[in-house]
Coordinates of all heavy atoms in Angstrom, one line a residue:
M883 N 0.8 -1.2 0.0 CA 0.0 0.0 0.0 C 0.9 1.3 0.0 O 0.5 2.2 -0.6 CB -0.9 0.0 1.2 CG -1.8 1.2 1.3 SD -3.0 0.9 2.6 CE -4.3 2.0 2.0
I884 N 2.0 1.2 0.7 CA 2.9 2.3 0.8 C 3.5 2.6 -0.6 O 3.7 3.8 -1.0 CB 4.0 2.1 1.8 CG1 3.4 2.1 3.2 CG2 5.1 3.2 1.7 CD1 4.3 1.8 4.3
F885 N 3.7 1.6 -1.4 CA 4.3 1.7 -2.7 C 3.3 2.4 -3.6 O 3.8 3.0 -4.7 CB 4.8 0.4 -3.3 CG 5.8 -0.3 -2.4 CD1 5.6 -1.4 -1.7 CD2 7.1 0.3 -2.4 CE1 6.6 -2.0 -0.9 CE2 8.1 -0.3 -1.6 CZ 7.9 -1.4 -0.9
V886 N 2.1 2.4 -3.3 CA 1.1 3.1 -4.2 C 0.9 4.5 -3.7 O 0.7 5.4 -4.5 CB -0.3 2.3 -4.1 CG1 -1.4 3.1 -4.9 CG2 -0.1 0.9 -4.7
L887 N 0.8 4.7 -2.4 CA 0.5 6.0 -1.8 C 1.6 7.0 -2.0 O 1.4 8.2 -2.2 CB 0.2 5.9 -0.3 CG -1.2 5.2 0.0 CD1 -1.3 5.0 1.5 CD2 -2.3 5.9 -0.7
V888 N 2.9 6.6 -2.0 CA 4.0 7.5 -2.1 C 4.0 8.2 -3.5 O 4.1 9.4 -3.6 CB 5.3 6.9 -1.8 CG1 6.5 7.8 -2.2 CG2 5.4 6.5 -0.3
P889 N 3.8 7.4 -4.6 CA 3.7 8.1 -5.9 C 2.5 9.0 -6.0 O 2.5 10.0 -6.6 CB 3.6 6.9 -6.9 CG 4.2 5.8 -6.2 CD 3.9 5.9 -4.8
V890 N 1.4 8.6 -5.4 CA 0.2 9.4 -5.4 C 0.5 10.7 -4.7 O 0.1 11.8 -5.1 CB -1.0 8.7 -4.7 CG1 -2.2 9.6 -4.4 CG2 -1.5 7.5 -5.6
L891 N 1.2 10.7 -3.6 CA 1.6 11.8 -2.8 C 2.5 12.7 -3.7 O 2.3 14.0 -3.7 CB 2.3 11.5 -1.5 CG 2.8 12.6 -0.7 CD1 1.6 13.5 -0.2 CD2 3.5 12.1 0.5
L892 N 3.4 12.2 -4.4 CA 4.3 12.9 -5.2 C 3.5 13.6 -6.4 O 3.8 14.8 -6.7 CB 5.4 12.0 -5.8 CG 6.4 11.5 -4.8 CD1 7.4 10.5 -5.4 CD2 7.2 12.7 -4.1
V893 N 2.6 12.9 -7.0 CA 1.7 13.6 -8.0 C 0.9 14.7 -7.4 O 0.9 15.8 -8.0 CB 0.8 12.5 -8.7 CG1 -0.2 13.1 -9.5 CG2 1.6 11.5 -9.5
L894 N 0.4 14.5 -6.3 CA -0.4 15.6 -5.6 C 0.5 16.8 -5.3 O 0.0 17.9 -5.5 CB -1.1 15.1 -4.4 CG -2.3 14.1 -4.6 CD1 -2.8 13.5 -3.3 CD2 -3.5 14.8 -5.3
M895 N 1.7 16.5 -4.8 CA 2.6 17.6 -4.6 C 2.9 18.4 -5.9 O 3.0 19.6 -5.9 CB 3.8 17.1 -3.9 CG 3.6 16.6 -2.5 SD 4.9 15.6 -1.8 CE 6.4 16.7 -2.0
G896 N 3.1 17.7 -6.9 CA 3.4 18.3 -8.2 C 2.2 19.1 -8.7 O 2.4 20.2 -9.2
L897 N 1.0 18.6 -8.4 CA -0.2 19.4 -8.8 C -0.4 20.6 -8.0 O -0.9 21.7 -8.5 CB -1.5 18.5 -8.7 CG -1.6 17.4 -9.8 CD1 -2.7 16.5 -9.4 CD2 -1.8 18.0 -11.1
V898 N 0.0 20.6 -6.7 CA 0.0 21.8 -5.9 C 0.9 22.8 -6.4 O 0.5 24.0 -6.6 CB 0.4 21.4 -4.4 CG1 0.6 22.7 -3.6 CG2 -0.7 20.6 -3.7
V899 N 2.1 22.4 -6.8 CA 3.1 23.4 -7.3 C 2.6 24.0 -8.7 O 2.7 25.2 -8.9 CB 4.5 22.7 -7.5 CG1 5.4 23.6 -8.3 CG2 5.0 22.4 -6.1
W900 N 2.0 23.1 -9.5 CA 1.5 23.5 -10.8 C 0.4 24.5 -10.6 O 0.4 25.6 -11.3 CB 1.0 22.3 -11.6 CG 0.4 22.6 -12.9 CD1 0.9 23.0 -14.0 CD2 -1.0 22.6 -13.1 NE1 0.0 23.2 -15.0 CE2 -1.3 23.0 -14.5 CE3 -2.2 22.3 -12.4 CZ2 -2.5 23.1 -15.1 CZ3 -3.4 22.4 -12.9 CH2 -3.6 22.8 -14.3
S901 N -0.5 24.3 -9.7 CA -1.6 25.2 -9.5 C -1.1 26.5 -8.9 O -1.6 27.6 -9.3 CB -2.6 24.6 -8.5 OG -3.2 23.5 -9.0
L902 N -0.1 26.5 -8.0 CA 0.4 27.7 -7.4 C 1.1 28.5 -8.5 O 0.9 29.8 -8.6 CB 1.4 27.3 -6.4 CG 2.1 28.5 -5.6 CD1 1.1 29.3 -4.9 CD2 3.1 27.9 -4.7
V903 N 1.9 27.9 -9.4 CA 2.6 28.6 -10.5 C 1.6 29.2 -11.4 O 1.7 30.4 -11.8 CB 3.6 27.7 -11.2 CG1 4.1 28.4 -12.4 CG2 4.7 27.4 -10.3
R904 N 0.5 28.5 -11.8 CA -0.5 29.0 -12.7 C -1.2 30.2 -12.1 O -1.5 31.2 -12.7 CB -1.5 28.0 -13.1 CG -1.0 26.9 -13.9 CD -1.4 26.9 -15.4 NE -2.6 27.6 -15.8 CZ -3.7 27.2 -16.3 NH1 -3.9 25.9 -16.4 NH2 -4.7 28.0 -16.7
G905 N -1.5 30.1 -10.8 CA -2.2 31.2 -10.0 C -1.4 32.4 -10.0 O -1.8 33.5 -10.2
I906 N -0.1 32.3 -9.7 CA 0.9 33.4 -9.7 C 1.0 34.0 -11.0 O 1.0 35.3 -11.2 CB 2.2 33.0 -9.1 CG1 2.1 32.6 -7.6 CG2 3.3 34.1 -9.3 CD1 3.4 32.1 -7.0
A907 N 1.0 33.2 -12.1 CA 1.1 33.8 -13.5 C -0.1 34.6 -13.8 O -0.1 35.6 -14.4 CB 1.3 32.6 -14.4
A908 N -1.3 34.0 -13.4 CA -2.6 34.8 -13.6 C -2.6 36.1 -12.8 O -3.1 37.1 -13.3 CB -3.7 33.9 -13.2
F909 N -2.0 36.0 -11.6 CA -2.0 37.3 -10.8 C -1.1 38.3 -11.5 O -1.5 39.5 -11.6 CB -1.4 36.9 -9.4 CG -1.2 38.1 -8.6 CD1 -2.3 38.8 -8.0 CD2 0.1 38.6 -8.3 CE1 -2.1 39.9 -7.2 CE2 0.3 39.7 -7.5 CZ -0.8 40.4 -6.9
L910 N 0.1 37.9 -12.0 CA 1.0 38.8 -12.7 C 0.4 39.4 -14.0 O 0.7 40.5 -14.4 CB 2.3 38.2 -12.9 CG 3.1 37.8 -11.7 CD1 4.4 37.0 -12.1 CD2 3.5 39.1 -10.9
Q911 N -0.5 38.6 -14.6 CA -1.1 39.0 -15.9 C -2.3 39.9 -15.7 O -2.8 40.5 -16.6 CB -1.5 37.8 -16.8 CG -0.3 37.1 -17.3 CD -0.7 35.8 -18.1 OE1 -1.9 35.5 -18.2 NE2 0.3 35.1 -18.6
T912 N -2.8 39.9 -14.5 CA -4.0 40.7 -14.2 C -3.9 42.2 -14.5 O -4.7 42.8 -15.2 CB -4.5 40.6 -12.7 OG1 -4.7 39.2 -12.4 CG2 -5.7 41.3 -12.4
T913 N -2.8 42.8 -14.2 CA -2.5 44.2 -14.5 C -2.4 44.4 -16.0 O -3.0 45.3 -16.5 CB -1.3 44.7 -13.8 OG1 -1.4 44.5 -12.4 CG2 -1.1 46.1 -14.0
R914 N -1.7 43.5 -16.6 CA -1.5 43.6 -18.1 C -2.8 43.5 -18.8 O -3.1 44.2 -19.7 CB -0.5 42.6 -18.6 CG -0.3 42.7 -20.1 CD 0.8 41.8 -20.6 NE 2.1 42.1 -20.0 CZ 3.0 41.3 -19.7 NH1 2.9 40.0 -20.0 NH2 4.2 41.7 -19.1
A915 N -3.6 42.5 -18.3 CA -5.0 42.3 -19.0 C -5.9 43.5 -18.7 O -6.7 43.9 -19.6 CB -5.6 41.0 -18.4
G916 N -5.8 44.1 -17.5 CA -6.6 45.3 -17.3 C -6.2 46.4 -18.2 O -7.1 47.2 -18.6
I917 N -5.0 46.6 -18.5 CA -4.5 47.7 -19.3 C -4.9 47.4 -20.8 O -5.4 48.2 -21.5 CB -3.0 47.9 -19.3 CG1 -2.6 48.4 -17.9 CG2 -2.5 48.8 -20.3 CD1 -1.1 48.4 -17.6
D918 N -4.7 46.1 -21.2 CA -5.0 45.8 -22.6 C -6.5 45.6 -22.9 O -6.9 46.1 -24.0 CB -4.3 44.5 -23.0 CG -2.8 44.6 -22.9 OD1 -2.3 45.7 -23.0 OD2 -2.1 43.5 -22.9
R919 N -7.3 45.0 -22.0 CA -8.6 44.6 -22.4 C -9.7 45.3 -21.5 O -10.9 45.0 -21.7 CB -8.8 43.1 -22.4 CG -8.0 42.4 -23.4 CD -8.3 41.0 -23.4 NE -7.9 40.3 -22.2 CZ -8.3 39.1 -21.9 NH1 -9.0 38.4 -22.7 NH2 -7.9 38.6 -20.7
G920 N -9.3 46.0 -20.5 CA -10.2 46.7 -19.6 C -10.7 45.7 -18.6 O -10.1 44.8 -18.2
D921 N -11.9 46.0 -18.1 CA -12.5 45.3 -17.0 C -12.7 43.8 -17.3 O -12.6 42.9 -16.4 CB -13.9 45.9 -16.5 CG -13.7 47.2 -15.8 OD1 -12.6 47.4 -15.3 OD2 -14.6 48.0 -15.8
E922 N -13.1 43.4 -18.5 CA -13.3 42.0 -18.9 C -12.0 41.2 -18.7 O -12.0 40.1 -18.2 CB -13.8 41.9 -20.3 CG -14.1 40.5 -20.7 CD -14.6 40.4 -22.1 OE1 -15.3 41.4 -22.6 OE2 -14.4 39.4 -22.8
G923 N -10.9 41.8 -19.1 CA -9.6 41.1 -19.0 C -9.3 40.8 -17.5 O -8.8 39.8 -17.1
I924 N -9.5 41.8 -16.6 CA -9.3 41.6 -15.2 C -10.2 40.6 -14.7 O -9.7 39.7 -13.9 CB -9.5 43.0 -14.5 CG1 -8.4 44.0 -14.9 CG2 -9.5 42.8 -13.0 CD1 -8.6 45.4 -14.3
R925 N -11.4 40.5 -15.0 CA -12.4 39.6 -14.5 C -11.9 38.2 -14.9 O -12.0 37.3 -14.1 CB -13.8 39.9 -15.0 CG -14.8 39.1 -14.3 CD -16.3 39.5 -14.7 NE -16.4 40.9 -15.1 CZ -16.7 41.3 -16.4 NH1 -16.9 40.4 -17.3 NH2 -16.8 42.6 -16.7
D926 N -11.5 38.0 -16.1 CA -11.1 36.6 -16.6 C -9.8 36.2 -15.8 O -9.8 35.0 -15.4 CB -10.7 36.7 -18.1 CG -11.9 36.9 -19.0 OD1 -13.0 36.7 -18.5 OD2 -11.7 37.2 -20.1
M927 N -8.9 37.0 -15.6 CA -7.7 36.7 -14.8 C -8.0 36.4 -13.4 O -7.5 35.5 -12.8 CB -6.6 37.8 -14.9 CG -6.0 37.9 -16.3 SD -5.0 36.4 -16.7 CE -6.0 35.7 -18.0
Q928 N -9.0 37.2 -12.8 CA -9.4 36.9 -11.4 C -10.1 35.6 -11.3 O -9.9 34.9 -10.3 CB -10.3 38.0 -10.9 CG -9.5 39.3 -10.6 CD -10.4 40.5 -10.3 OE1 -11.6 40.5 -10.6 NE2 -9.8 41.5 -9.6
M929 N -10.9 35.2 -12.3 CA -11.5 33.9 -12.2 C -10.5 32.8 -12.3 O -10.6 31.8 -11.6 CB -12.5 33.8 -13.4 CG -13.7 34.7 -13.2 SD -14.7 34.4 -11.7 CE -15.4 32.8 -12.1
L930 N -9.5 33.0 -13.2 CA -8.4 32.0 -13.3 C -7.6 31.9 -11.9 O -7.3 30.8 -11.5 CB -7.5 32.3 -14.4 CG -6.3 31.3 -14.6 CD1 -6.8 29.9 -14.9 CD2 -5.4 31.8 -15.7
Q931 N -7.4 33.0 -11.3 CA -6.7 33.0 -10.0 C -7.5 32.2 -9.0 O -7.0 31.4 -8.2 CB -6.5 34.4 -9.5 CG -5.5 35.2 -10.2 CD -5.5 36.7 -9.6 OE1 -5.7 36.9 -8.4 NE2 -5.2 37.6 -10.5
N932 N -8.8 32.4 -9.0 CA -9.7 31.8 -8.0 C -9.7 30.3 -8.3 O -9.7 29.5 -7.3 CB -11.1 32.3 -8.1 CG -11.2 33.7 -7.4 OD1 -10.3 34.1 -6.7 ND2 -12.3 34.4 -7.8
R933 N -9.8 29.9 -9.5 CA -9.8 28.4 -9.9 C -8.5 27.8 -9.4 O -8.5 26.7 -8.9 CB -10.0 28.2 -11.4 CG -11.4 28.2 -11.8 CD -11.6 27.6 -13.2 NE -10.7 28.0 -14.2 CZ -10.8 29.0 -15.0 NH1 -11.8 29.8 -14.9 NH2 -9.8 29.3 -15.9
M934 N -7.4 28.4 -9.7 CA -6.1 27.9 -9.3 C -5.9 27.8 -7.8 O -5.4 26.8 -7.3 CB -4.9 28.7 -9.9 CG -4.8 28.5 -11.4 SD -4.5 26.8 -12.0 CE -6.1 26.4 -12.6
M935 N -6.5 28.8 -7.1 CA -6.4 28.8 -5.6 C -7.2 27.6 -5.1 O -6.8 26.8 -4.2 CB -6.9 30.1 -5.0 CG -6.9 30.1 -3.5 SD -5.3 30.1 -2.8 CE -4.8 31.7 -3.1
F936 N -8.4 27.4 -5.6 CA -9.2 26.3 -5.2 C -8.6 25.0 -5.5 O -8.6 24.0 -4.7 CB -10.6 26.3 -5.9 CG -11.5 25.2 -5.5 CD1 -12.1 25.2 -4.2 CD2 -11.8 24.1 -6.3 CE1 -13.0 24.2 -3.8 CE2 -12.6 23.1 -5.9 CZ -13.2 23.1 -4.7
N937 N -8.0 24.8 -6.7 CA -7.3 23.6 -7.1 C -6.1 23.3 -6.1 O -5.9 22.2 -5.7 CB -6.7 23.7 -8.5 CG -7.8 23.4 -9.5 OD1 -8.9 23.0 -9.2 ND2 -7.5 23.9 -10.7
R938 N -5.4 24.4 -5.8 CA -4.2 24.2 -4.9 C -4.7 23.7 -3.5 O -4.1 22.8 -2.9 CB -3.5 25.6 -4.7 CG -2.2 25.4 -3.9 CD -1.5 26.7 -3.7 NE -2.3 27.8 -3.1 CZ -2.5 27.9 -1.8 NH1 -1.9 27.1 -1.0 NH2 -3.2 28.9 -1.3
I939 N -5.8 24.3 -3.0 CA -6.3 23.9 -1.7 C -6.8 22.5 -1.7 O -6.6 21.7 -0.8 CB -7.4 24.9 -1.2 CG1 -6.8 26.2 -0.9 CG2 -8.2 24.3 0.0 CD1 -7.8 27.3 -0.7
K940 N -7.5 22.1 -2.8 CA -8.0 20.8 -3.0 C -6.9 19.7 -3.0 O -6.9 18.7 -2.3 CB -8.8 20.7 -4.3 CG -9.4 19.4 -4.6 CD -10.3 19.4 -5.9 CE -9.5 20.0 -7.0 NZ -10.3 20.0 -8.3
F941 N -5.8 20.0 -3.8 CA -4.7 19.1 -3.9 C -3.9 19.0 -2.6 O -3.4 17.9 -2.2 CB -3.8 19.5 -5.1 CG -4.4 19.4 -6.4 CD1 -4.2 20.3 -7.4 CD2 -5.2 18.3 -6.8 CE1 -4.8 20.3 -8.6 CE2 -5.8 18.2 -8.0 CZ -5.6 19.2 -8.9
Q942 N -3.8 20.1 -1.9 CA -3.1 20.1 -0.6 C -3.9 19.2 0.4 O -3.3 18.5 1.2 CB -2.9 21.5 0.0 CG -1.8 22.2 -0.7 CD -1.7 23.6 -0.1 OE1 -2.6 24.3 0.2 NE2 -0.4 24.1 0.0
G943 N -5.2 19.4 0.4 CA -6.0 18.6 1.2 C -5.9 17.1 1.0 O -5.8 16.3 1.9
L944 N -5.9 16.8 -0.3 CA -5.7 15.3 -0.7 C -4.4 14.8 -0.3 O -4.2 13.7 0.2 CB -5.9 15.2 -2.2 CG -7.4 15.3 -2.7 CD1 -7.5 15.4 -4.2 CD2 -8.3 14.3 -2.1
A945 N -3.3 15.7 -0.4 CA -2.0 15.3 0.0 C -1.9 15.0 1.5 O -1.3 14.1 2.0 CB -1.0 16.3 -0.4
I946 N -2.6 15.9 2.3 CA -2.7 15.7 3.7 C -3.4 14.4 4.1 O -2.9 13.6 5.0 CB -3.4 16.9 4.4 CG1 -2.5 18.1 4.3 CG2 -3.7 16.6 5.8 CD1 -3.1 19.4 4.7
V947 N -4.4 14.0 3.3 CA -5.1 12.8 3.6 C -4.2 11.6 3.3 O -4.1 10.6 4.1 CB -6.4 12.7 2.7 CG1 -7.0 11.2 2.7 CG2 -7.5 13.7 3.2
V948 N -3.4 11.7 2.2 CA -2.5 10.6 1.9 C -1.4 10.5 3.0 O -1.1 9.4 3.4 CB -1.9 10.8 0.5 CG1 -0.7 9.8 0.2 CG2 -2.9 10.7 -0.6
V949 N -0.9 11.6 3.4 CA 0.1 11.6 4.5 C -0.5 11.0 5.7 O 0.2 10.2 6.4 CB 0.7 13.0 4.8 CG1 1.5 13.0 6.0 CG2 1.5 13.5 3.6
A950 N -1.7 11.3 6.1 CA -2.3 10.7 7.3 C -2.5 9.2 7.1 O -2.3 8.5 8.1 CB -3.7 11.4 7.5
I951 N -2.9 8.8 5.9 CA -3.0 7.3 5.7 C -1.6 6.7 5.8 O -1.5 5.6 6.5 CB -3.6 7.0 4.3 CG1 -5.1 7.5 4.3 CG2 -3.5 5.6 4.0 CD1 -5.7 7.5 3.0
L952 N -0.6 7.3 5.3 CA 0.8 6.7 5.4 C 1.2 6.6 6.8 O 1.8 5.7 7.3 CB 1.8 7.6 4.6 CG 1.7 7.4 3.1 CD1 2.6 8.5 2.4 CD2 2.3 6.0 2.7
L953 N 0.9 7.7 7.6 CA 1.3 7.7 9.0 C 0.5 6.6 9.8 O 1.1 5.9 10.7 CB 1.1 9.1 9.6 CG 2.0 10.1 9.2 CD1 1.6 11.5 9.8 CD2 3.4 9.8 9.7
A954 N -0.7 6.4 9.4 CA -1.6 5.4 10.1 C -1.1 4.0 9.8 O -1.0 3.1 10.6 CB -3.0 5.6 9.7
V955 N -0.7 3.8 8.5 CA -0.3 2.5 8.1 C 1.1 2.2 8.6 O 1.4 1.1 9.1 CB -0.3 2.4 6.5 CG1 0.4 1.1 6.0 CG2 -1.8 2.4 6.0
G956 N 2.0 3.2 8.5 CA 3.4 2.9 8.9 C 3.7 3.4 10.3 O 4.9 3.2 10.7
G957 N 2.7 3.9 11.0 CA 2.9 4.3 12.4 C 3.4 3.3 13.3 O 4.1 3.5 14.3
G958 N 3.0 2.0 13.1 CA 3.4 0.9 14.0 C 4.8 0.4 13.8 O 5.3 -0.3 14.6
H959 N 5.4 0.8 12.7 CA 6.8 0.3 12.4 C 7.8 1.3 12.9 O 7.8 2.4 12.6 CB 6.9 0.2 10.9 CG 5.9 -0.7 10.2 ND1 5.9 -2.1 10.4 CD2 4.8 -0.5 9.4 CE1 4.9 -2.6 9.7 NE2 4.2 -1.6 9.1
K960 N 8.7 0.7 13.8 CA 9.7 1.6 14.3 C 11.1 1.1 14.0 O 11.3 0.0 13.7 CB 9.6 1.7 15.8 CG 8.4 2.4 16.2 CD 8.4 2.6 17.8 CE 7.2 3.4 18.1 NZ 7.1 3.7 19.6

């Protein structure tokens, strides 16, 4: 079971980083979009930021669950 959960944890950690980077990129583009396209551009970038933040929180939560399972399974081994 540990051999399955560790790769799952690594994938979830990668998804957290990916969501964080995408969210930061959207944040940095918000000002540029506001200048180029007006309010609609800002709204689109803010929606992307919100989606990436939600994804990051979701993936972090799943990673915590996997870590808790790993600790529960491997906690008896010293």
Side-chain angles (χ1 to χ4, degrees):
M883 182 172 202
I884 292 175
F885 297 111
V886 174
L887 291 176
V888 171
V890 168
L891 180 61
L892 292 174
V893 168
L894 288 170
M895 290 168 54
L897 289 171
V898 168
V899 172
W900 175 76
S901 297
L902 181 62
V903 169
R904 291 251 346 242
I906 290 172
F909 176 75
L910 293 174
Q911 291 177 358
T912 299
T913 303
R914 181 176 296 152
I917 293 170
D918 293 343
R919 298 187 294 170
D921 290 337
E922 182 180 327
I924 292 174
R925 194 173 331 113
D926 292 343
M927 288 294 109
Q928 288 174 339
M929 292 300 291
L930 180 60
Q931 287 176 36
N932 288 341
R933 274 198 317 270
M934 290 300 107
M935 178 67 73
F936 181 75
N937 283 344
R938 184 179 61 83
I939 292 169
K940 178 176 54 177
F941 295 138
Q942 281 178 327
L944 291 171
I946 290 170
V947 169
V948 171
V949 168
I951 293 170
L952 283 170
L953 288 173
V955 169
H959 303 290
K960 290 186 177 184

